[in-house]
Short mmCIF file of all heavy atoms in Angstrom, two decimals:
data_model
loop_
_atom_site.label_atom_id
_atom_site.label_comp_id
_atom_site.label_asym_id
_atom_site.label_seq_id
_atom_site.Cartn_x
_atom_site.Cartn_y
_atom_site.Cartn_z
N ASN A 253 98.71 115.81 73.26
CA ASN A 253 99.53 116.99 73.55
C ASN A 253 101.03 116.86 73.03
O ASN A 253 101.74 117.75 73.18
CB ASN A 253 99.50 117.24 75.05
CG ASN A 253 98.25 117.92 75.42
OD1 ASN A 253 97.86 118.93 74.92
ND2 ASN A 253 97.41 117.22 76.32
N GLY A 254 101.40 115.65 72.51
CA GLY A 254 102.68 115.53 71.93
C GLY A 254 103.79 115.30 72.97
O GLY A 254 104.92 115.45 72.71
N ARG A 255 103.34 115.09 74.25
CA ARG A 255 104.32 114.90 75.28
C ARG A 255 103.93 113.59 75.99
O ARG A 255 102.80 113.33 76.23
CB ARG A 255 104.15 116.04 76.31
CG ARG A 255 105.14 117.18 76.05
CD ARG A 255 105.15 118.09 77.25
NE ARG A 255 103.86 118.67 77.38
CZ ARG A 255 103.49 119.38 78.46
NH1 ARG A 255 104.33 119.53 79.54
NH2 ARG A 255 102.29 119.85 78.60
N GLY A 256 105.02 112.79 76.29
CA GLY A 256 104.77 111.57 76.95
C GLY A 256 105.08 111.58 78.43
O GLY A 256 106.06 112.26 78.82
N PHE A 257 104.29 110.92 79.20
CA PHE A 257 104.59 110.71 80.63
C PHE A 257 104.53 109.30 80.94
O PHE A 257 103.67 108.51 80.45
CB PHE A 257 103.52 111.49 81.46
CG PHE A 257 103.62 112.92 81.34
CD1 PHE A 257 102.81 113.61 80.44
CD2 PHE A 257 104.55 113.68 82.07
CE1 PHE A 257 102.87 114.97 80.33
CE2 PHE A 257 104.63 115.09 81.92
CZ PHE A 257 103.73 115.73 81.01
N SER A 258 105.51 108.85 81.72
CA SER A 258 105.49 107.40 82.08
C SER A 258 104.51 107.07 83.19
O SER A 258 104.06 107.95 83.91
CB SER A 258 106.94 106.99 82.52
OG SER A 258 107.21 107.46 83.84
N VAL A 259 104.21 105.77 83.26
CA VAL A 259 103.32 105.33 84.36
C VAL A 259 103.81 105.73 85.66
O VAL A 259 103.11 106.28 86.52
CB VAL A 259 103.13 103.83 84.23
CG1 VAL A 259 102.38 103.25 85.44
CG2 VAL A 259 102.46 103.42 82.94
N ALA A 260 105.14 105.58 85.91
CA ALA A 260 105.72 105.97 87.16
C ALA A 260 105.59 107.51 87.47
O ALA A 260 105.27 107.92 88.54
CB ALA A 260 107.20 105.53 87.26
N GLU A 261 105.74 108.27 86.36
CA GLU A 261 105.64 109.79 86.56
C GLU A 261 104.23 110.12 86.90
O GLU A 261 103.92 111.06 87.69
CB GLU A 261 105.97 110.48 85.22
CG GLU A 261 107.44 110.56 85.03
CD GLU A 261 107.87 111.03 83.63
OE1 GLU A 261 107.13 110.77 82.66
OE2 GLU A 261 108.85 111.83 83.53
N VAL A 262 103.18 109.40 86.26
CA VAL A 262 101.79 109.70 86.55
C VAL A 262 101.55 109.46 88.06
O VAL A 262 100.79 110.21 88.73
CB VAL A 262 100.94 108.85 85.66
CG1 VAL A 262 99.44 108.91 86.12
CG2 VAL A 262 101.03 109.27 84.24
N ILE A 263 102.03 108.33 88.54
CA ILE A 263 101.79 107.95 89.96
C ILE A 263 102.48 108.97 90.86
O ILE A 263 101.84 109.48 91.84
CB ILE A 263 102.27 106.48 90.25
CG1 ILE A 263 101.46 105.47 89.42
CG2 ILE A 263 102.16 106.23 91.70
CD1 ILE A 263 101.94 104.09 89.40
N ARG A 264 103.71 109.50 90.54
CA ARG A 264 104.30 110.49 91.35
C ARG A 264 103.51 111.75 91.37
O ARG A 264 103.38 112.44 92.30
CB ARG A 264 105.76 110.70 90.80
CG ARG A 264 106.77 109.75 91.46
CD ARG A 264 108.15 110.39 91.33
NE ARG A 264 108.55 110.66 89.98
CZ ARG A 264 109.06 109.75 89.10
NH1 ARG A 264 109.20 108.48 89.47
NH2 ARG A 264 109.39 110.08 87.86
N THR A 265 103.01 112.13 90.17
CA THR A 265 102.23 113.37 90.02
C THR A 265 100.92 113.17 90.90
O THR A 265 100.56 114.16 91.59
CB THR A 265 101.90 113.69 88.54
OG1 THR A 265 103.14 113.72 87.84
CG2 THR A 265 101.11 114.95 88.40
N SER A 266 100.40 112.05 90.88
CA SER A 266 99.14 111.86 91.63
C SER A 266 99.40 111.97 93.12
O SER A 266 98.63 112.55 93.85
CB SER A 266 98.55 110.47 91.28
OG SER A 266 98.30 110.34 89.89
N GLU A 267 100.56 111.49 93.55
CA GLU A 267 100.91 111.61 95.00
C GLU A 267 101.12 113.09 95.38
O GLU A 267 100.66 113.59 96.39
CB GLU A 267 102.22 110.90 95.28
CG GLU A 267 102.02 109.36 95.31
CD GLU A 267 103.29 108.65 95.84
OE1 GLU A 267 104.46 108.96 95.36
OE2 GLU A 267 103.16 107.73 96.76
N ARG A 268 101.83 113.84 94.40
CA ARG A 268 101.99 115.30 94.70
C ARG A 268 100.73 116.06 94.78
O ARG A 268 100.50 116.84 95.66
CB ARG A 268 102.92 115.81 93.63
CG ARG A 268 103.50 117.26 93.91
CD ARG A 268 104.66 117.57 93.05
NE ARG A 268 104.41 117.49 91.59
CZ ARG A 268 103.67 118.50 90.99
NH1 ARG A 268 103.17 119.47 91.72
NH2 ARG A 268 103.42 118.42 89.73
N ILE A 269 99.83 115.86 93.83
CA ILE A 269 98.59 116.58 93.73
C ILE A 269 97.65 116.25 94.96
O ILE A 269 97.01 117.13 95.50
CB ILE A 269 97.76 116.29 92.44
CG1 ILE A 269 98.68 116.79 91.26
CG2 ILE A 269 96.46 116.90 92.43
CD1 ILE A 269 98.89 118.27 91.08
N THR A 270 97.59 115.00 95.35
CA THR A 270 96.74 114.62 96.42
C THR A 270 97.33 114.81 97.82
O THR A 270 96.64 114.86 98.72
CB THR A 270 96.37 113.08 96.27
OG1 THR A 270 97.59 112.35 96.44
CG2 THR A 270 95.70 112.74 94.97
#
Side-chain angles (χ1 to χ4, degrees):
N253 283 302
R255 266 189 300 166
F257 294 95
S258 74
V259 170
E261 282 171 325
V262 168
I263 294 171
R264 270 201 304 278
T265 302
S266 302
E267 284 188 313
R268 190 164 61 72
I269 296 294
T270 62

